[in-house]
Amino acid sequence: MKLICTQENLNKALGVVGKIINKNATLPILNNILLKTDKGRLKLSSTNLELGINYWVGSKIEEEGEITVPTRLFANFISSLPNSNVEIKLKEDVLNIKCDKYKTNIKGLSAKEYPLIPKIEAEPVFKINNSDFKQALIQVLPAVSSSESRIEITGVLLDLSKLDQNKIILVATDSYRLAEKALTLKKENINKEALNLAGDISSVIIPKNAVQELIRDLDDNENLLEVIISENQILFKFNNANMISRLLEGKYPDYKQIIPDKFETEAVVNVDEIANAIRVAGLFVSASSNNIRLKVYSNSNILEVSSEASEIGNNNTKVAAEIKGNDLEAMYNHRYLSDGFGGIDKEKAILKINSEKLPTVLTSATDKDLIYVIMPVRA
Amino acid sequence: MKLICTQENLNKALGVVGKIINKNATLPILNNILLKTDKGRLKLSSTNLELGINYWVGSKIEEEGEITVPTRLFANFISSLPNSNVEIKLKEDVLNIKCDKYKTNIKGLSAKEYPLIPKIEAEPVFKINNSDFKQALIQVLPAVSSSESRIEITGVLLDLSKLDQNKIILVATDSYRLAEKALTLKKENINKEALNLAGDISSVIIPKNAVQELIRDLDDNENLLEVIISENQILFKFNNANMISRLLEGKYPDYKQIIPDKFETEAVVNVDEIANAIRVAGLFVSASSNNIRLKVYSNSNILEVSSEASEIGNNNTKVAAEIKGNDLEAMYNHRYLSDGFGGIDKEKAILKINSEKLPTVLTSATDKDLIYVIMPVRA
């Protein structure tokens, strides 16, 4: 192997491929990154066996070859170099790197030992711009379950049943709260046939780790992300990279039925104001009770946020609200409430409340594509 | 107690007084902050028994009083409030706080239980502007010893023997490397008599914790910091605060004798370039050998930075240098070298080297007030 590429491109690639967390300590080669010349480019690959990423860097290839080197050392070294050309040369199992006045030799391990990263040879089911998909994932992620007892809700549901209406829906829940985000696609960016070829799939569940990795790797730009689906794997193509992840098995809960369609009271509030009131109320929750009370006064157009921890004190904040319906109060888990308002990226939110036995719904006042559902706590 | 102050001032005070780390878990009241009305202002105090800080906040006092409340809760609450007036009222042992639409009650503990923070009633020995003193402390801090076996070098020496020449000198060493910083004072900011009154003191040793706390609290401005010294305590007055710390006992080593005054070779280098070369070399050190080799080529005006860890690889960087003297090479501990160049806030540094048996000296090329001395490692 012998090639030249720029420090800037190589460093950018390592920002993506070099960050996969290896949880499999029994296979030390997973701490390495695979470098391989590939059709006139340098391909960098990394995997933790659950997900794998490939990233191609434009290079002047003088000699083909492949090797694996310790990821962190290689990434730290490249990031310390000046923005100039990097010459990479393999001699036996030692990678020789030169850039400006820097010269280094890094000991590698044979590429033969490196696990194969699977491929899906198929057409994309849909394309969507990077930033829209990233933002949607950020919004639903907090609601994903961390409990391993119900494996099917430890990922994000990608519901494809509305592709005919040019929509995909992302859903996450931990059974206490639920986030649902609908994304509208351009017709020309949908290829339903590709889905049919993959088997009779109407939805897939993407593991939480893959979602977190995608959020880290996707840029905030308008470039199109391509999503390719097979029976048990999903492939995301973006910029010069692709990321492949296994899918979670199991049947996702039929969540539609728990979302009420009638509400006793609706309150429109400023998101920043209520989020700060909730943060303050969070200072007065404790291990024994981490609940916050919301109280709606329809006459005075006030929503009151309060909490009490008997050992340390209590607190009460009044937030201006436009209220339709009756006076009402309900208790909520502090973190669930805080995550809910945290996901709303608009100025105003609507809180739709029934009695304390039915779920409460949060949405933005202007954009109904994001719905956050939260169960009140019984006092 | 009943008073009104601004959220902005109170929050600023808590940024200083609220950050002292309580290492004494046996005395839970040290997790609290003392609030006390004091001559028309609100005084906030905190101590960990080794050092104490007082901070005065301009307030409209309506009723005198005092109480202690949990520091972190109080600080987090105040920092979440809008920039408006804060009304504070004590009812029995509960502190009632109102600001805008926020209302809170925090349970306190009696001020009677709170340890007394000592005072020094004396004139300042010298005054110096905040930012100069802060910068000097930042420069010498890394060389302070962490080993508790020689307690006298676990602090920064404040050498006052050159007050006649309008100079104070700060020194830190861990016996492997040493940093010395001289600061020139204005004549009108020195009061040697105040020092004589404190006993026959020519130097004091300030504990590392107090130095770290000062670095955190001092602003980067031209305001004058006042330094007041007694036999076993030191008091710093700055802005609306004062900080008092015990002094370390013991005799500081006579370090002057170890600094060589003749050198075989001198090399002038760009600080950023060599600092980056050292950082890169640091990637190739290991638990078994964390040394870096510097090699000076007088003919080619090159300083070579290299390192090797047999398990992972090696590295070599050429840094342009203006060299006077002979070819020379020596090995240094990676971190000591890195700290040394890290302290130089000028563009060019001079490296003055003897053979590997004598200390090497680093200074800035333009400002000789900072001297960093480092012992080479024998290969």
Side-chain angles (χ1 to χ4, degrees), chain B residues 185-205:
Chain B
L185 307 175
K186 288 187 183 154
K187 206 176 160 81
E188 69 263 30
N189 288 334
I190 299 173
N191 178 359
K192 230 194 144 205
E193 222 164 277
L195 191 62
N196 296 337
L197 288 174
D200 196 16
I201 295 174
S202 65
S203 68
V204 295
I205 310 169

Side-chain angles (χ1 to χ4, degrees), chain A residues 73 76-77 80 101-107 273 276-277 279-280 283-284 310-318 320, chain B residues 73 76-77 80 101-107 273 276-277 279-280 283-284 310-318 320:
Chain A
L73 173 65
N76 285 341
F77 177 71
S80 300
K101 290 167 178 165
Y102 294 79
K103 272 194 339 196
T104 289
N105 295 304
I106 297 179
K107 290 198 181 170
E273 267 182 46
N276 197 48
R279 180 163 55 243
V280 169
L283 300 174
F284 294 85
S310 53
E311 326 83 74
I312 52 174
N314 58 53
N315 122 293
N316 179 312
T317 307
K318 289 181 170 53
Chain B
L73 173 64
N76 285 341
F77 177 71
S80 299
K101 289 167 180 166
Y102 293 79
K103 273 197 335 198
T104 288
N105 295 304
I106 297 180
K107 291 197 181 171
E273 266 183 46
N276 197 49
R279 178 164 57 244
V280 169
L283 300 174
F284 295 84
S310 53
E311 328 83 74
I312 52 174
N314 58 53
N315 121 292
N316 179 310
T317 308
K318 290 181 168 56

